[in-house]
Amino acid sequence: MSSPAIAFARQNYPRFLDELKDLLRIPSISTLPEHKGDCRHAADVLAAELKRIGMENVRLIETEGNPLVYADWLHAAGKPTVLCYGHYDVQPPDPLDEWHTPPFEPTVRDGNIYARGAVDDKGQVCAQVKALESLLATKKALPLNVRVLLEGEEEVGGEGIAKFVASKPAELKADFALISDTELFAPGLPTLCVGLRGMIYTEIEVRGAKTDLHSGMYGGAAPNPFFSLAQILSELKDKDGHILIPGFYDDIIPPSPEELAAWRSLPFDEEQYRISEVGARQLVGEKGYSVLERTWARPTLDVHGIPGGFTGAGAKTVIPAKAVAKVSMRLVPGMTPTKAYAQYKSYVEKIAPAGVDVEVRLVHSGEPSLIPVNNPYIQAATRALHEVWGKDTVFIRSGGSIPIVGDFARHLGIPSVMMGFGLPDDNLHAPNEKFHLKNFELGIESLIRFMEETGR
Ligand code: BES
Ligand code: MN
Ligand code: MN
């Protein structure tokens, strides 16, 4: 592994870390309108960085939401073109008091960098940029043609990038996409993710009386929308975790016997997972499926929050006029957001209790993805990973969603190589998110070797 680019990276890790910290200080939280300016700031910083390392045609592409960052370098005649993707937006940091150090003051402790976005996804975007920098700095050229496309709304459904990819496929012409936004299956184990769940994120709003009412004066006569909502929610799944929406499971394409056999040979212990990752008394879910099957290859239905009514300290005797539940479903290959949403909406409307108005709304949606593994880019990735990690790559799916992967397949006709370097306990979306610094470094080296291999 005598790549000069890798030698360059190794000499520059302290500076790379400082530059990652600068990016992590920007609170680019896409779901909170008051952070719009921070999102744009993160986009500007990344664009300046891409320009500095020698990428060309660097520009922000405006969308209805946060801007995309685009750059390219297309001088490797006869070589394939990679489309590097990542997202610079992050999830909100709450609950704040559970962080050991503030979420936007990146701090190194025990070989990890702690900050919101450390691993999801600024640290991994930064790893891709540093791989490009190391290649450009040592060779004044890249081993293959490269386009970079970063978005700032992945965590809220990615509508802007989806529209851009659908409307301008010629501007993104590439042979494959490279996405670093996933995890290693276990520490030190090189991993490629080849399947993601899709999702539909919805709200159910139930309205009863025309205004909030005194619960003594009207209790017993006025409908309580929280009860109606609870009735609806209780009819969405049975006690075994089976989703009761008619037809919901009909189109699922189950994993092949070979894929299931491969999952069984992964180093995974359900009891260990229950204790150290989940930390609950018992796991839940459909009978007859392993944890990996339930989280990778079966759909879900979850409630994320029930805003409405009185939630402050103390007691207030009120019958609220309305109640809302935020409900999402993860979809697996074979299912489509359009059909799943139609089935869900008509079922909720059918089971709506009398005396209240029920409205179902779609907030955002994304397709599930399954990547065929017999392509030269996946093979090049396993060779590169073997050199850096000294081990054979495991192929996994993930229960999470990256909606753009489906759009790349549909509109650009290209497969994605999902080469990510997070760890299962990196606390994505949770307090004390971290990125293991060794994985940041080996991630950069893996990406360098991968680009060298695909450009050979
Ligand atoms: N990077 C994650 C998805 C992910 C997590 C993939 C872990 C593999 C392993 C991504 O940023 C994410 O959180 N996506 C959202 C998408 C949604 C808002 C459409 C998700 O999965 O909830
Ligand atoms: Mn992510
Ligand atoms: Mn995320």
Side-chain angles (χ1 to χ4, degrees):
M1 208 168 47
S2 58
S3 162
I6 288 183
F8 176 92
R10 289 182 180 163
Q11 279 152 18
N12 284 277
Y13 282 142
R15 173 175 62 84
F16 287 0
L17 180 59
D18 283 341
E19 285 163 1
L20 171 56
K21 284 184 182 169
D22 291 341
L23 191 59
L24 290 171
R25 281 192 195 94
I26 307 169
S28 47
I29 307 163
S30 50
T31 202
L32 301 178
E34 61 271 30
H35 287 281
K36 272 232 142 338
D38 295 310
C39 290
R40 183 165 296 269
H41 183 197
D44 284 333
V45 166
L46 282 161
E49 189 64 5
L50 287 162
K51 210 169 271 175
R52 181 184 65 76
I53 67 170
M55 294 297 292
E56 300 174 351
N57 299 310
V58 180
R59 61 190 172 105
L60 296 194
I61 297 171
E62 295 302 329
T63 69
E64 278 162 37
N66 297 327
L68 308 176
V69 182
Y70 176 86
D72 63 29
W73 190 95
L74 303 170
H75 306 294
K79 303 291 184 187
T81 302
V82 60
L83 176 59
C84 294
Y85 162 89
H87 62 94
Y88 64 77
D89 64 319
V90 300
Q91 290 271 336
D94 57 275
L96 277 178
D97 53 2
E98 286 186 29
W99 285 79
H100 300 310
T101 49
F104 297 106
E105 292 175 25
T107 309
V108 173
R109 274 196 309 276
D110 336 310
N112 298 300
I113 180 158
Y114 286 84
R116 170 58 85 234
V119 71
D120 185 14
D121 183 34
K122 287 171 172 172
Q124 303 208 62
V125 166
C126 190
Q128 289 195 349
V129 175
K130 297 307 171 196
L132 293 171
E133 173 174 357
S134 304
L135 288 161
L136 282 164
T138 46
K139 303 228 179 71
K140 303 284 167 271
L142 292 172
L144 76 173
N145 300 295
V146 175
R147 296 181 198 274
V148 175
L149 185 66
L150 309 175
E151 71 163 312
E153 295 188 305
E154 194 275 344
E155 300 290 8
V156 290
E159 208 179 300
I161 194 171
K163 277 192 187 160
F164 182 73
V165 170
S167 65
K168 298 274 171 52
E171 293 185 26
L172 296 171
K173 199 174 167 347
D175 297 286
F176 66 100
L178 172 58
I179 299 178
S180 303
D181 193 21
T182 53
E183 309 173 324
L184 303 177
F185 188 73
L189 189 58
T191 304
L192 291 173
C193 177
V194 297
L196 294 164
R197 289 195 286 197
M199 77 140 62
I200 51 180
Y201 198 109
T202 77
E203 289 177 347
I204 303 175
E205 181 170 315
V206 180
R207 286 181 301 270
K210 66 177 194 256
T211 180
D212 287 9
L213 297 171
H214 189 294
S215 68
M217 294 165 68
Y218 299 97
N224 185 318
F226 273 93
F227 259 96
S228 308
L229 185 58
Q231 279 169 7
I232 294 171
L233 296 178
S234 73
E235 289 183 48
L236 294 177
K237 272 202 271 195
D238 71 14
K239 287 195 195 68
D240 294 326
H242 193 81
I243 297 164
L244 297 172
I245 301 166
F248 201 68
Y249 294 92
D250 284 358
D251 301 333
I252 293 176
I253 302 168
S256 69
E258 293 75 33
E259 198 175 10
L260 287 172
W263 295 356
R264 277 192 291 273
S265 68
L266 289 168
F268 185 75
D269 182 298
E270 293 196 359
E271 187 58 4
Q272 162 90 18
Y273 165 89
R274 177 186 72 78
I275 295 166
S276 64
E277 281 194 53
V278 178
R281 205 181 297 282
Q282 224 179 32
L283 296 176
V284 299
E286 291 176 280
K287 291 206 162 60
Y289 295 92
S290 69
V291 164
L292 294 183
E293 284 173 89
R294 302 204 301 273
T295 55
W296 292 352
R298 298 293 294 170
T300 63
L301 187 150
D302 274 299
V303 181
H304 305 289
I306 307 192
F310 180 68
T311 56
K316 178 185 180 190
T317 44
V318 66
I319 296 177
K322 70 168 195 176
V324 174
K326 293 176 183 285
V327 177
S328 86
M329 283 139 275
R330 300 269 171 181
L331 312 179
V332 296
M335 302 177 82
T336 65
T338 320
K339 184 164 176 190
Y341 180 65
Q343 291 170 330
Y344 161 76
K345 185 171 156 70
S346 66
Y347 179 63
V348 171
E349 285 164 358
K350 198 186 104 203
I351 60 176
V356 292
D357 291 316
V358 175
E359 189 192 332
V360 181
R361 295 186 287 260
L362 182 65
V363 178
H364 62 67
S365 65
E367 304 268 349
S369 308
L370 199 54
I371 311 293
V373 294
N374 54 351
N375 71 63
Y377 311 110
I378 295 277
Q379 283 150 17
T382 62
R383 290 198 298 277
L385 289 169
H386 197 280
E387 280 187 40
V388 175
W389 300 79
K391 283 186 189 158
D392 286 342
T393 295
V394 295
F395 294 94
I396 67 164
R397 294 199 200 177
S398 165
S401 307
I402 308 177
I404 200 62
V405 174
D407 297 86
F408 286 162
R410 240 168 326 138
H411 300 294
L412 306 181
I414 58 174
S416 291
V417 175
M418 288 189 269
M419 187 190 282
F421 306 99
L423 288 175
D425 68 349
D426 272 347
N427 301 321
L428 283 76
H429 297 198
N432 303 305
E433 179 178 347
K434 65 178 171 67
F435 194 7
H436 189 47
L437 287 177
K438 192 77 204 164
N439 289 351
F440 177 54
E441 298 176 0
L442 292 183
I444 293 170
E445 295 177 24
S446 303
L447 292 163
I448 290 172
R449 286 299 298 125
F450 176 53
M451 292 195 219
E452 288 176 339
E453 273 298 310
T454 46
R456 221 163 33 141

